[in-house]
Amino acid sequence: MTTTEQSYAMSPQLADTVKKYQQTSAFVGLVFLALTISGYFFVGAQQFLRAYLVGCFFWFGAGIGCLGLLMVHLVTGGAWGMMIRRPLEAGTKTLYVMWLAFLPLLLMAPKLYLWADPAHAADKIVQAKALYLNMPFFWLRWVIYGAVWLGLTTLLNKWSKLEDETKSTDYSKKLEALSAPGIVAFFLTITFASVDFLMSLDPTWASTIYGFMQAVGAGLTALALIIAVLAMMTKYAPMDHAVTKKHLHDLGKLMFAFVMLWAYLNFSQLLIIWSGNLPQEITWYIRRLNGGWEWVSLSLLLLHFALPFALLLSQSLKRNANTISRIAIFIVCIRVVDLIWLVEPNFTSVDHPLLAISWLDLTAPIGFGGLWLALFFRALPERPLLPLGAPDLQKALNHGRDH
Amino acid sequence: MSSHSTLDVHPLYGIMAEFATAGELVAAARKTHEAGFRKFDAYTPVPLHELDDAMDLHDNRVSLFTLIGAILGGSGGFTLASWISAKALPLNIGGRPLISIPMFIPVTFECTILIAGLTAAISMIMLNGLPLPYHPVFNVERFGAASKSKFFLCIETDDPKFDHAATVKFLESLNPEEVAEVAR
């Protein structure tokens, strides 16, 4: 049986595999980011920025989702979180780069955001919202987000390392004490950030559930990615005997809950706007339910909700590392479609909506994905794969074994 | 019941062993199944999911009934809402179609949950053979502890492998706190 006496360092075979993944991701990331940047010159600045926003915000979501899940685990405990705590911590470390990745959007904001474009400065709606939607405040908010996200990431990782080294519960308590207000800060910042970077693409439209939708979407992306990584690691020592079917089952159930929550929030927004049918609100859906976009909306309903829902109902699919990891990777892919669906239709005419996406909408998420995974797989081997200093580690290891 | 305590006087329901911890009971249940016993049951003060695996229980009929209930409930709810709005009392509400799908989803959802929940509860109760006014295990005086602090395992006489002396010996080999005979 497993004991906490083990070091839970990566076995050489796993380290090799991770290294291979890291190099492949870095290569793919560089090639596709270069392709994306070439789009700035070949396709045009605005289309480049639209695709850049899709890729950047999606993978930022993967990082911030890891931070949110990590803090929820540190506050609530539970065996599911113990198994993925190290991958989550490695995921948060991508935020340093992902936060900086917003810079081009800020620098070229007038080319992407209508409210930042001097040509629209006289528009009534832009003037009415100028108190919030103005460039200096936009920059200031970005700095505040960075302070919160990177501050939390730095402290949580630092104390987690000290918890391992000293085995002192003082640090476990500190982690818990920081995570509780951290979760509040997480929801506030991600709400404002998604209003700033995504919702303000259409300054005439507003939805109060939008920020929470993005938080849940980010959590789902992060959880699906981490489940895929954990399932991969169960094939190698030391995780092959640390992770039980029960752990995978619990994580699968959590992913199931996230899939349902995503659908619930999206549907709530649709139901309210459908019922009201007000001119200033319904345009958002008119753009997404006409001109070809209705097929994207339908595929989101079927592939982002119905299919994962039906598959994740099954207990045996959740308990098998191969099947749960395939479902998780599929969810990551369909999450990208959701992001494209949130960004691109804002730029189509409301009178004649037309489904038009650029090849850049695919190269940007792949490019950022390569970058994100390279950073992630670089950070993952730095620490033991299980939190050795966590007070409940032994209990978590025994989860799903009878003795 | 009379006060006779010899083996062959009262008809026997089974032999019961008492354990102090959940872990011991799960281990004992696993060994009992491995030893070839099939008609035995475990009694615990708290639900123990590990027992399903230890006793090799694979009866998933409750899930199946719940799924059927959910599908019937969902389609029933949607049909009800559509019938009312399009057939029984057609109303033009702000120019929306008579079958205005988003508006029917809450009803569909609630009916799915309601019927699935009822099916789950009722099928669970019925498949458990409840209500059951009499059960022999209560003839063992110490069995009351099964709802408080102790864990019990009872091998029934119906088991094809049941042999009085050998079963008592087997149960004693599992290190129980006590082994008792259960009158029918």
Side-chain angles (χ1 to χ4, degrees):
Chain A
M1 270 297 125
T2 45
T3 64
T4 37
E5 307 307 312
Q6 282 182 266
S7 71
Y8 288 108
M10 272 194 182
S11 63
Q13 293 92 329
L14 179 55
D16 279 352
T17 312
V18 165
K19 185 125 196 88
K20 225 180 288 162
Y21 278 125
Q22 196 218 334
Q23 285 163 348
T24 317
S25 318
F27 177 73
V28 171
L30 280 177
V31 169
F32 278 81
L33 280 179
L35 271 174
T36 310
I37 292 166
S38 79
Y40 181 88
F41 305 101
F42 296 127
V43 186
Q46 201 214 38
Q47 180 59 64
F48 163 77
L49 286 169
R50 277 144 68 169
Y52 187 95
L53 177 61
V54 170
C56 169
F57 202 91
F58 179 79
W59 289 98
F60 152 74
I64 199 77
C66 284
L67 182 64
L69 289 170
L70 176 65
M71 290 190 296
V72 168
H73 166 65
L74 289 171
V75 168
T76 62
W80 61 272
M82 213 64 89
M83 293 299 129
I84 60 168
R85 198 170 130 188
R86 280 299 131 79
L88 288 176
E89 285 171 354
T92 60
K93 287 180 191 161
T94 62
L95 281 172
Y96 297 101
V97 173
M98 293 320 296
W99 174 70
L100 283 174
F102 282 114
L103 260 178
L105 296 172
L106 289 136
L107 290 168
M108 294 186 266
K111 291 203 171 95
L112 182 65
Y113 297 103
L114 191 142
W115 54 266
D117 186 353
H120 289 275
D123 291 11
K124 259 197 178 148
I125 193 85
V126 172
Q127 281 184 343
K129 297 191 178 184
L131 193 63
Y132 183 85
L133 290 177
N134 61 67
M135 279 317 286
F137 195 24
F138 194 48
W139 277 96
L140 175 66
R141 289 195 298 271
W142 175 72
V143 171
I144 295 172
Y145 304 150
V148 172
W149 299 335
L150 303 184
L152 285 169
T153 300
T154 308
L155 283 176
L156 291 176
N157 279 299
K158 189 177 137 200
W159 289 340
S160 170
K161 192 157 190 255
L162 287 167
E163 183 192 53
D164 263 19
E165 283 162 3
T166 61
K167 304 267 191 302
S168 152
T169 52
D170 289 353
Y171 289 108
S172 320
K173 283 183 195 136
K174 271 181 153 180
L175 285 168
E176 192 178 329
L178 177 65
S179 294
I183 291 172
V184 177
F186 164 82
F187 274 104
L188 284 175
T189 48
I190 198 165
T191 299
F192 281 100
S194 38
V195 167
D196 286 352
F197 290 104
L198 292 179
M199 202 168 92
S200 81
L201 286 171
D202 180 356
T204 65
W205 183 81
S207 161
T208 46
I209 213 169
Y210 199 86
F212 198 43
M213 256 161 63
Q214 300 317 315
V216 168
L220 178 57
T221 309
L223 187 63
L225 273 169
I226 297 301
I227 287 177
V229 170
L230 187 73
M232 179 274 287
M233 291 201 296
T234 57
K235 295 191 178 67
Y236 301 91
M239 297 306 267
D240 53 353
H241 53 268
V243 179
T244 63
K245 283 190 177 307
K246 188 89 178 92
H247 292 129
L248 291 174
H249 190 185
D250 287 353
L251 288 165
K253 284 190 272 190
L254 195 56
M255 186 159 73
F256 187 38
F258 267 100
V259 165
M260 285 194 284
L261 193 52
W262 175 88
Y264 173 80
L265 295 171
N266 270 279
F267 176 71
S268 305
Q269 181 182 291
L270 169 69
L271 181 65
I272 290 167
I273 293 180
W274 171 277
S275 313
N277 202 17
L278 299 172
Q280 69 270 32
E281 287 177 349
I282 201 73
T283 51
W284 200 82
Y285 281 108
I286 288 180
R287 288 193 172 99
R288 282 163 182 81
L289 291 172
N290 289 290
W293 281 107
E294 66 269 34
W295 300 110
V296 182
S297 306
L298 185 67
S299 64
L300 280 176
L301 174 66
L302 294 178
L303 302 178
H304 200 313
F305 171 64
L307 182 67
F309 177 87
L311 290 175
L312 288 170
L313 274 177
S314 153
Q315 198 177 79
S316 50
L317 291 183
K318 280 181 287 201
R319 292 171 75 93
N320 179 320
N322 285 327
T323 49
I324 192 72
S325 111
R326 272 181 215 159
I327 297 172
I329 290 169
F330 174 77
I331 288 178
V332 173
C333 297
I334 198 72
R335 287 284 312 128
V336 179
V337 179
D338 184 43
L339 248 284
I340 296 174
W341 180 80
L342 286 171
V343 171
E344 285 294 342
N346 288 306
F347 297 92
T348 188
S349 138
V350 72
D351 298 323
H352 303 285
L354 194 65
L355 171 66
I357 59 165
S358 159
W359 53 273
L360 289 171
D361 286 319
L362 297 177
T363 57
I366 297 174
F368 274 109
L371 176 70
W372 195 94
L373 288 171
L375 293 167
F376 173 82
F377 282 122
R378 200 192 60 171
L380 190 59
E382 284 169 5
R383 310 270 311 278
L385 288 174
L386 288 172
L388 304 178
D392 287 334
L393 178 62
Q394 190 56 52
K395 218 169 109 193
L397 282 168
N398 290 342
H399 189 56
R401 304 172 211 267
D402 37 272
H403 63 82
Chain B
M1 276 283 136
S2 69
S3 58
H4 295 290
S5 58
T6 41
L7 310 175
D8 31 23
V9 173
H10 51 64
L12 199 62
Y13 172 74
I15 314 281
M16 178 185 272
E18 176 183 333
F19 298 92
T21 67
E24 285 172 303
L25 174 72
V26 173
R30 190 179 296 282
K31 281 189 194 137
T32 310
H33 185 267
E34 278 163 7
F37 290 103
R38 289 298 174 266
K39 297 256 342 165
F40 67 101
D41 215 341
Y43 304 87
T44 62
V46 288
L48 287 178
H49 296 296
E50 294 92 335
L51 276 174
D52 298 351
D53 183 46
M55 295 170 69
D56 200 31
L57 299 176
H58 292 295
D59 190 343
N60 291 331
R61 278 177 293 169
V62 173
S63 322
L64 179 66
F65 287 138
T66 310
L67 181 66
I68 294 172
I71 293 170
L72 288 178
S75 45
F78 190 83
T79 313
L80 176 70
S82 308
W83 176 76
I84 292 171
S85 308
K87 202 93 185 151
L89 190 66
L91 273 181
N92 182 340
I93 303 169
R96 289 183 196 78
L98 288 176
I99 295 181
S100 174
I101 296 172
M103 305 300 286
F104 296 169
I105 297 298
V107 171
T108 309
F109 175 75
E110 297 299 342
C111 288
T112 311
I113 302 299
L114 176 70
I115 305 297
L118 286 175
T119 322
I122 293 170
S123 62
M124 181 274 289
I125 289 169
M126 292 185 59
L127 289 170
N128 275 333
L130 296 171
L132 189 68
Y134 172 81
H135 198 291
V137 284
F138 288 95
N139 291 331
V140 176
E141 206 178 316
R142 293 182 56 88
F143 187 73
S147 24
K148 293 191 295 251
S149 53
K150 298 289 185 187
F151 300 82
F152 294 86
L153 182 94
C154 180
I155 301 181
E156 291 154 31
T157 50
D158 297 348
D159 193 297
K161 214 176 164 270
F162 187 88
D163 170 85
H164 192 277
T167 307
V168 170
K169 217 171 150 195
F170 170 75
L171 283 175
E172 272 168 355
S173 76
L174 301 173
N175 289 325
E177 297 211 312
E178 206 170 288
V179 173
E181 289 162 356
V182 186
R184 190 172 283 277

